Amino acid sequence: GADLDPGNLKAPLAGSGAGAGPQSDQAPELGSIHRASVKRIEPYGVFVALAGYRKFGLVHASQVSEWIKFNREDSDEQKKAELAGVVSIGEVVNVKVVEVIEDDGSGRGQKIQCSLKLVDQKS
């Protein structure tokens, strides 16, 4: 079978559901806004797949919504439930890149920090 799309221009983004086209290994530009698909919800935040990028971004719990407030006493399950009340796995959202942290030598590469609350989700 010949590759009918060698440039990966017709293939959807792997698992992102947020668009189509090639994926970049580079980090997105600081301050840029992207469509992203929610992949995982953890007590500390939400992992998103950015359209057009291979690396996932992390939306820290403090950047999900103005209305979410956690206490030290809250369990991990309570925190995840609170976050799941705002976003759900598979949902496509708009995120802003607020920080790109260079590789610290751990071999995991760059870390992309994002924000939901700094982007209008309706437009």
Side-chain angles (χ1 to χ4, degrees):
D3 187 351
L4 300 178
D5 185 28
N8 294 324
L9 300 176
K10 297 178 187 173
L13 294 176
S16 78
Q23 290 185 327
S24 174
D25 288 325
Q26 301 298 316
E29 185 177 330
L30 187 64
S32 58
I33 296 177
H34 302 270
R35 299 287 288 161
S37 178
V38 176
K39 292 298 177 189
R40 201 168 84 220
I41 299 173
E42 296 294 338
Y44 49 86
V46 176
F47 284 96
V48 295
L50 301 169
Y53 295 89
R54 292 188 196 280
K55 263 321 241 184
F56 282 14
L58 172 65
V59 181
H60 188 270
S62 66
Q63 292 296 315
V64 172
S65 170
E66 292 285 342
W67 314 111
I68 292 180
K69 303 288 186 225
F70 296 135
N71 296 317
R72 286 180 165 250
E73 299 81 31
D74 291 345
S75 70
D76 285 352
E77 290 77 27
Q78 289 172 307
K79 292 174 184 178
K80 287 173 77 170
E82 188 83 16
L83 292 169
V86 178
V87 295
S88 57
I89 294 175
E91 181 178 358
V92 177
V93 295
N94 297 315
V95 296
K96 181 174 183 173
V97 177
V98 294
E99 187 175 14
V100 176
I101 303 168
E102 294 303 320
D103 186 3
D104 60 3
S106 66
R108 290 198 247 167
Q110 295 173 318
K111 295 179 182 175
I112 303 165
Q113 301 289 329
C114 301
S115 175
L116 275 165
K117 71 180 187 180
L118 296 178
V119 182
D120 183 356
Q121 297 301 311
K122 294 177 184 166
S123 65

